[in-house]
């Protein structure tokens, strides 16, 4: 699925977004199995996943390894031209730090699984001409709510509370 093609129908795009989000959800579940926070992300360029990651702050004893940061790291170095052809998927609305990285690399589209359990600076994305697509998936909300209920201290640490 190429999210930049104008001739594709809305339903085709939505199906493609859900397919890529399912990859991000797989990453989130992997992080949870590892004892971490269940947030996952994938970076897609021209319909192909080129990077994937999940929140590994706990596993790596890292201050910054959120899902989007792990995903970008695992994608490796790309040119500015390449980032502009990408879409980043995250199971949760990106935080300030991850928003900054997405803006730095000028990734034009961010697709999120949900923003009810946490809402990052989405208005800032919009001011910077980044398109936000919220799939508002029950599965993502349930995964985060269950985690937050089970480990509120770890969650608060992750979001800087």
């Amino acid at each position: 699925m190429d999210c930049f093609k104008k001739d594709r129908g809305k339903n085709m795009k939505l199906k493609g977004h859900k397919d890529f989000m399912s990859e991000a959800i797989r990453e989130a579940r992997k992080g949870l199995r590892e004892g971490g926070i269940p947030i996952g992300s994938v970076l897609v360029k021209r319909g192909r996943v080129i990077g994937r990651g999940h929140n590994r702050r706990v596993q790596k004893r890292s201050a910054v390894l959120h899902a989007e940061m792990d995903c970008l790291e695992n994608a490796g170095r790309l040119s500015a031209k390449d980032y502009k052809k990408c879409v980043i998927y995250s199971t949760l609305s990106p935080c300030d730090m991850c928003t900054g990285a997405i803006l730095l690399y000028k990734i034009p589209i961010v697709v999120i699984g949900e923003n009810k359990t946490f809402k990052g600076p989405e208005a800032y994305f919009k001011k910077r001409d980044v398109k936000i697509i919220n799939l508002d998936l029950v599965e993502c909300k349930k995964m985060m709510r269950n985690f937050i209920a089970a480990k509120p201290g770890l969650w608060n640490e992750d979001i800087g509370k």
Side-chain angles (χ1 to χ4, degrees), residues 18-36:
K18 287 183 178 179
D19 289 345
F20 290 124
M21 185 58 69
S22 70
E23 291 296 314
I25 291 169
R26 271 192 207 109
E27 287 293 321
R29 287 188 184 131
K30 183 177 180 183
L32 186 60
R33 283 192 308 273
E34 293 171 354

Side-chain angles (χ1 to χ4, degrees), residues 66 68 92-100 118 120-121 125 158-159:
H66 282 190
E68 299 88 344
L92 188 63
S93 180
C95 71
D96 290 319
M97 175 178 64
C98 297
T99 295
F118 177 82
F125 269 139
D158 196 63
I159 60 171

Side-chain angles (χ1 to χ4, degrees), residues 8 20 30 38 42 51 53-54 59-60 65 71 81 83 88 121 129 135 138-139 150 158:
R8 302 248 178 163
F20 290 124
K30 183 177 180 183
V42 295
H54 52 277
Q59 300 91 311
K60 294 285 189 175
L65 213 46
C71 175
K81 186 169 68 172
Y83 284 116
I88 192 162
D129 294 323
L135 299 179
V138 171
E139 182 177 9
D158 196 63

Side-chain angles (χ1 to χ4, degrees), residues 129-146:
D129 294 323
V130 173
K131 183 176 182 180
I132 304 278
I133 300 169
N134 182 359
L135 299 179
D136 196 32
L137 298 176
V138 171
E139 182 177 9
C140 292
K141 288 186 265 193
K142 183 178 177 185
M143 186 167 35
M144 285 310 302
R145 286 185 185 133
N146 289 345

Side-chain angles (χ1 to χ4, degrees), residues 96-124:
D96 290 319
M97 175 178 64
C98 297
T99 295
I102 292 164
L103 290 172
L104 175 69
Y105 293 117
K106 295 178 177 55
I107 298 169
I109 301 172
V110 179
V111 181
I112 59 175
E114 65 107 346
N115 68 357
K116 297 291 187 244
T117 56
F118 177 82
K119 186 172 185 175
E122 293 175 22
Y124 189 57

Side-chain angles (χ1 to χ4, degrees), residues 38-113:
I39 304 168
S41 182
V42 295
L43 185 66
V44 175
K45 180 182 170 201
R46 293 192 169 153
R48 190 171 67 86
V49 174
I50 62 168
R52 58 181 60 242
H54 52 277
N55 186 307
R56 295 193 306 156
R57 288 185 65 251
V58 173
Q59 300 91 311
K60 294 285 189 175
R61 300 184 54 81
S62 169
V64 298
L65 213 46
H66 282 190
E68 299 88 344
M69 304 297 275
D70 189 42
C71 175
L72 291 169
E73 177 71 16
N74 290 331
R77 291 176 59 194
L78 301 174
S79 71
K81 186 169 68 172
D82 285 329
Y83 284 116
K84 290 177 183 178
K85 297 174 186 170
C86 289
V87 177
I88 192 162
Y89 293 78
S90 180
T91 57
L92 188 63
S93 180
C95 71
D96 290 319
M97 175 178 64
C98 297
T99 295
I102 292 164
L103 290 172
L104 175 69
Y105 293 117
K106 295 178 177 55
I107 298 169
I109 301 172
V110 179
V111 181
I112 59 175

